Amino acid sequence: MQITRKDVLHVSKLAKLYLNDNEVDKFTKNLSDIVNFADRLNGIDVSGVSPTAAILPLQNVFREDKIEKSMDREKILQNAPEKSYGCFWVKNKIVE
Amino acid sequence: MELHDKTVHELCDMLDNNETTSVELTKACFNRIKDVEDKVQAFITITEDAALKQAEETDKKRKNGEVLGILHGIPMAIKDNMCTEGILTTCGSKMLSNFVPPYTSTAVNKLNTAGCILLGKTNMDEFAMGSSTENSYFKKTKNPWDLNRVPGGSSGGSAAAVAACEAPFSLGSDTGGSIRQPAHYCGVVGMKPTYGSVSRYGLVAFASSLDQIGPFTKDVHDMALILSTITGHDPKDSTSYPREYPDFTKALNQDVRGMKIALPKEFFGKGINEEVKSAVMNVAKKYESMGAKVEEVSMPMSDYALPVYYLIACAEASSNLARYDGIRFGYRAQDVESLDDLYKKTRSEGFGDEVKRRIILGTYALSSGYYDAYYKKAQQVRTLIKKEFDDVYKNYDMILTPTGPTVAFEFGQNSDNPLEMYMNDICTVPINIAGVPAMSMNCGFDSKGMPIGMQLVGKHFDEFNILKLAHAMEKELGLNNKSKL
């Protein structure tokens, strides 16, 4: 299948990435190559085959419903680019 | 032989017999690092002061008769995608170039608790995406056997650190071959354990259904020691498997007579270098002469493993890497117009080329209209690949293959063509798709003196027999695995 610049721009929007013209060209070619390579899967009959998401027979792993000590707020915030009043801080330019 | 040249088990014996101290060992490693690190460039962060302090405390404890475990006082290096509390953990990315984790990953914690000393954090392809460590934001690690060649990837720093004797052992992570392929390129032992046997808690996620932590060591005995320490169920990782994990050192010095080994012809076919092929076939013959039964089998589905791997790994990565938004930790872009602009600018400036490429492929495979054709299809073929492994293991104990199609390649050789770069993973990705354990071990050298790796692939949770067969072959081959660096 042929991937177009339009496809790459659409996907980059979904993935929250800005791409410059060079990157759009390059990724259009790379994505076409990889998708064409992946198209070899089309020859396999998978009717009735259930998909495998995880390899081990583990399902619904629960823990006891009891309160345990969680991480200190300071530790959680120690890597925040900006913080204030014990919260993550983002400038109020977010209103569009 | 100098201290830094020795294996973990030799150093353990020396410590137990009071022939050396942890401080002496740790200093020997840092001296070695000072001598060769300019050339090898294996480390992103070196933690010398903390290590020496920890070594002193470890020695004090030993003096007081308080020995924490077999590995008490042994230095180690850790791939920079495993969280270490208070120590920079970059994942080889600008995105995490300032990230100091508030907690320690379970695998590293187990080694700390056993008394190991952290020397530093090793270089890697950004977010573990690559086969040469050329995708690191920070530096290019060199192969200690030939500094013009790549060490492999993505755990290139951890492999090179052990091959250059900067660290007695190290940890890496393997999503599609990122431990085994650099072990093959650098002539060391590298194991990807069964999915679920080593906790992923605190490992920066790339593709959650494929990622697994494992060791790099100088020999098979060391592999058994480290593996025995890091395996085990962890309530903090819901994909960690609750079962008894054996003492793997019991696999050493065992008879391999009567074991059944399968050679899948697809792993010896097109694209596999002749010298690599003949080194692995030589091993197969030796196993036969040691009394094992070796037979050719066919695994036709493995031809589809590479596209299945790239679709699944990239889809999971695009979802996992959505967390890097510039809000809570990591890099944040400046001068933004809106929240959406903050996200996009942060991610565009913080991620490198290969990471963006894989996010785009993964987002595409998951996007409306393509999900069934690509992601779901890949998961269905995954079922068929896994079944093919199960079928082989009905009649055989082990699968033997080359670890990669060629020996280590030169810098820049594959970096312009992503698809050609991905071909280096052709022998290793089927193993992650099936979730089985596999180990690479040096089994010879090519005409230019570069190491060649063989790969032993076992049943789920059968690392024991991998080590048994590997140890027998290591003794039989008696190779000198030391680079001339």
Side-chain angles (χ1 to χ4, degrees):
Chain A
M1 207 180 91
Q2 198 54 44
I3 303 290
T4 62
R5 286 176 61 93
K6 208 178 137 204
D7 294 323
V8 169
L9 286 168
H10 170 65
V11 171
S12 68
K13 206 171 145 192
L14 295 175
K16 302 259 183 239
L17 287 169
Y18 289 131
L19 301 181
N20 61 34
D21 278 352
N22 278 342
E23 286 177 316
V24 176
D25 286 341
K26 186 170 56 184
F27 290 151
T28 303
K29 188 184 177 305
N30 294 158
L31 192 57
S32 291
D33 289 350
I34 298 166
V35 166
N36 284 331
F37 178 60
D39 279 340
R40 68 162 71 175
L41 300 182
N42 292 342
I44 310 172
D45 181 13
V46 290
S47 47
V49 177
S50 50
T52 296
I55 220 72
L56 297 173
L58 287 169
Q59 276 177 333
N60 299 336
V61 178
F62 296 116
R63 67 166 174 83
E64 283 293 304
D65 186 15
K66 64 169 195 249
I67 296 170
E68 286 171 27
K69 197 178 176 316
S70 49
M71 206 176 278
D72 291 338
R73 184 192 294 229
E74 269 171 34
K75 274 191 161 187
I76 291 170
L77 287 170
Q78 79 184 27
N79 280 288
E82 287 181 80
K83 60 196 160 194
S84 227
Y85 306 110
C87 297
F88 295 107
W89 191 257
V90 185
K91 288 195 178 66
N92 66 1
K93 276 185 177 172
I94 61 171
V95 184
E96 287 176 69
Chain B
M1 193 191 249
E2 296 189 56
L3 270 182
H4 63 248
D5 292 322
K6 293 188 183 292
T7 60
V8 171
H9 61 91
E10 287 167 342
L11 296 174
C12 290
D13 290 346
M14 288 180 71
L15 283 165
D16 285 344
N17 298 328
N18 294 319
E19 290 164 24
T20 186
T21 63
S22 181
V23 168
E24 202 174 24
L25 293 186
T26 307
K27 280 186 178 160
C29 289
F30 285 117
N31 283 337
R32 178 65 179 171
I33 289 171
K34 276 176 198 112
D35 284 347
V36 300
E37 180 62 7
D38 273 357
K39 292 180 196 147
V40 181
Q41 303 274 301
F43 287 88
I44 291 175
T45 303
I46 291 172
T47 51
E48 187 165 1
D49 293 344
L52 289 170
K53 209 174 139 203
Q54 202 189 338
E56 273 172 33
E57 284 164 18
T58 311
D59 283 338
K60 235 179 256 170
K61 278 188 183 145
R62 185 181 284 276
K63 236 180 203 166
N64 297 334
E66 191 191 339
V67 177
L68 298 173
I70 301 168
L71 302 174
H72 186 106
I74 301 292
M76 64 176 175
I78 302 289
K79 186 178 183 180
D80 212 17
N81 62 349
M82 283 167 239
C83 286
T84 41
E85 186 174 351
I87 297 162
L88 192 67
T89 299
T90 68
C91 221
S93 180
K94 181 180 177 185
M95 187 62 92
L96 290 175
S97 52
N98 57 0
F99 177 60
V100 178
Y103 69 102
T104 298
S105 55
T106 297
V108 176
N109 208 18
K110 276 175 175 273
L111 292 167
N112 285 342
T113 308
C116 294
I117 315 288
L118 178 68
L119 298 168
K121 305 291 292 288
T122 58
N123 196 26
M124 57 183 283
D125 283 303
E126 183 179 7
F127 284 99
M129 297 177 184
S131 309
S132 66
T133 314
E134 288 168 291
N135 295 333
S136 167
Y137 171 66
F138 297 96
K139 53 173 71 169
K140 285 188 173 41
T141 300
K142 316 292 190 298
N143 190 314
W145 292 84
D146 177 350
L147 299 171
N148 295 315
R149 297 185 195 232
V150 302
S154 67
S155 314
S158 282
V162 173
C165 296
E166 293 176 283
F169 82 94
S170 63
L171 289 188
S173 68
D174 188 316
T175 305
S178 285
I179 290 173
R180 290 159 288 151
Q181 184 253 23
H184 154 52
Y185 283 10
C186 292
V188 295
V189 185
M191 163 93 83
K192 182 206 86 76
T194 307
Y195 182 82
S197 61
V198 179
S199 169
R200 293 185 297 111
Y201 178 73
L203 170 70
V204 178
F206 160 15
S208 306
S209 82
L210 305 163
D211 297 342
Q212 191 64 197
I213 291 172
F216 287 97
T217 59
K218 289 177 186 167
D219 70 6
V220 178
H221 187 159
D222 285 3
M223 179 57 69
L225 282 174
I226 311 301
L227 202 62
S228 300
T229 309
I230 63 171
T231 46
H233 178 243
D234 178 14
K236 287 178 178 156
D237 171 6
S238 62
T239 61
S240 149
Y241 201 69
R243 73 192 296 277
E244 286 295 314
Y245 292 88
D247 171 3
F248 291 107
T249 56
K250 295 210 161 70
L252 307 175
N253 297 313
Q254 299 288 318
D255 195 344
V256 301
R257 254 178 296 186
M259 288 191 77
K260 288 189 226 155
I261 302 171
L263 299 179
K265 64 176 185 205
E266 288 77 8
F267 287 73
F268 292 84
K270 201 173 135 245
I272 309 293
N273 171 282
E274 284 303 323
E275 288 185 277
V276 170
K277 206 186 291 182
S278 85
V280 179
M281 288 313 289
N282 175 46
V283 164
K285 281 197 198 91
K286 284 196 186 296
Y287 275 131
E288 237 171 3
S289 67
M290 292 158 81
K293 195 174 147 199
V294 182
E295 282 174 355
E296 189 180 276
V297 297
S298 180
M299 298 181 78
M301 290 308 295
S302 54
D303 283 344
Y304 301 105
L306 207 54
V308 166
Y309 171 77
Y310 275 93
L311 288 168
I312 291 176
C314 293
E316 291 184 15
S318 78
S319 166
N320 271 326
L321 271 60
R323 78 191 64 186
Y324 301 103
D325 57 4
I327 306 290
R328 292 152 302 154
F329 58 96
Y331 175 75
R332 177 187 284 192
Q334 299 301 310
D335 303 322
V336 296
E337 301 294 326
S338 65
L339 185 60
D340 198 54
D341 193 35
L342 170 68
Y343 293 152
K344 287 181 174 163
K345 227 176 151 191
T346 295
R347 291 165 63 77
S348 305
E349 293 172 6
F351 289 139
D353 242 24
E354 183 61 25
V355 175
K356 286 180 190 171
R357 182 165 22 248
R358 295 201 196 189
I359 290 175
I360 284 175
L361 172 61
T363 308
Y364 178 80
L366 290 173
S367 66
S368 170
Y370 301 104
Y371 177 90
D372 280 350
Y374 292 107
Y375 184 62
K376 191 178 166 203
K377 181 80 184 249
Q379 285 193 316
Q380 286 173 308
V381 180
R382 183 178 192 180
T383 306
L384 299 176
I385 293 171
K386 181 177 175 284
K387 187 180 174 297
E388 198 169 76
F389 275 89
D390 292 342
D391 288 346
V392 170
Y393 289 131
K394 280 177 192 155
N395 298 313
Y396 298 90
D397 302 305
M398 194 65 56
I399 295 171
L400 171 66
T401 77
T403 311
T406 65
V407 297
F409 50 88
E410 291 185 3
F411 282 97
Q413 195 174 312
N414 290 319
S415 49
D416 290 341
N417 187 333
L419 206 53
E420 272 179 27
M421 184 67 103
Y422 298 168
M423 292 297 174
N424 293 302
D425 304 336
I426 200 152
C427 301
T428 48
V429 294
I431 281 76
N432 301 70
I433 291 170
V436 290
M439 192 175 94
S440 179
M441 178 180 102
N442 183 232
C443 68
F445 300 90
D446 78 349
S447 48
K448 292 191 173 132
M450 293 304 292
I452 296 171
M454 62 182 241
Q455 179 175 238
L456 288 166
V457 187
K459 300 174 187 177
H460 283 113
F461 298 109
D462 194 19
E463 287 81 356
F464 196 91
N465 274 320
I466 293 180
L467 292 165
K468 181 165 139 182
L469 278 164
H471 192 242
M473 189 50 61
E474 186 180 59
K475 284 197 294 185
E476 174 75 19
L477 293 170
L479 297 171
N480 177 10
N481 285 343
K482 218 176 145 303
S483 75
K484 288 181 189 70
L485 193 72

